[in-house]
Amino acid sequence: QVQLVESGGGLVQAGGSLRLSCAASGRTFSNYAMGWFRQAPGKEREFVAGISWSAIGNTYYADSVKGRFTISRDNAANTVYLQMNSLKPEDTAVYYCAAHSNPMSTVLVTHQISYAYWGQGTQVTVSS
């Protein structure tokens, strides 16, 4: 069983920064693509950023966060990060970390259906 635990959310003013962390346990972390998704009140959950399994290291971003957010991973620490800069009120949401269903795969890495394991979420609130 895979467990994902997010941390680092909070309240920040527009233009500020936050770094989210997601600690993973339960399988060989470096073999799996990881993703961040978010869900704002009254909206569907959407893709934010993804990172391929370690040997490739490709990153993927939603257009809305490109240039402001950076996803990275530390395989020694079994942790994936989301550095969020220049935050906007529209970034307010619950942010979820997810692990891809299949090892060494980046199939549909931007789609929720590809992810079998999810964290509990962490709230990010950006005030104007």
Side-chain angles (χ1 to χ4, degrees), residues 40-81:
K43 295 187 177 181
E44 294 186 351
R45 190 160 56 185
E46 64 177 4
F47 170 77
V48 176
I51 187 165
S52 63
W53 60 285
S54 183
I56 301 176
N58 293 337
T59 56
Y60 310 81
Y61 297 96
D63 288 342
S64 59
V65 307
K66 204 170 292 184
R68 300 187 298 122
F69 290 11
T70 302
I71 187 171
S72 62
R73 65 191 301 159
D74 180 347
N75 291 328
N78 280 6
T79 302
V80 62
Y81 303 98

Side-chain angles (χ1 to χ4, degrees), residues 10 12 17 19 35 38 49 72 78-79 83 86 90 98 107:
V12 64
S17 299
R19 188 176 82 154
R38 67 185 181 187
S72 62
N78 280 6
T79 302
Q83 177 67 44
S86 302
E90 51 264 43
V107 172

Side-chain angles (χ1 to χ4, degrees), residues 11-122:
L11 173 64
V12 64
Q13 289 188 334
S17 299
L18 283 174
R19 188 176 82 154
L20 305 183
S21 300
C22 172
S25 63
R27 59 181 183 177
T28 307
F29 176 74
S30 62
N31 287 345
Y32 292 84
M34 300 292 293
W36 286 97
F37 293 77
R38 67 185 181 187
Q39 187 167 21
K43 295 187 177 181
E44 294 186 351
R45 190 160 56 185
E46 64 177 4
F47 170 77
V48 176
I51 187 165
S52 63
W53 60 285
S54 183
I56 301 176
N58 293 337
T59 56
Y60 310 81
Y61 297 96
D63 288 342
S64 59
V65 307
K66 204 170 292 184
R68 300 187 298 122
F69 290 11
T70 302
I71 187 171
S72 62
R73 65 191 301 159
D74 180 347
N75 291 328
N78 280 6
T79 302
V80 62
Y81 303 98
L82 185 67
Q83 177 67 44
M84 306 186 294
N85 298 329
S86 302
L87 282 161
K88 305 175 181 180
E90 51 264 43
D91 294 318
T92 295
V94 177
Y95 283 71
Y96 297 91
C97 170
H100 201 280
S101 303
N102 300 309
M104 292 178 275
S105 173
T106 53
V107 172
L108 296 177
V109 71
T110 63
H111 291 68
Q112 297 183 53
I113 195 172
S114 298
Y115 294 84
Y117 303 98
W118 294 81
Q120 81 289 351
T122 185

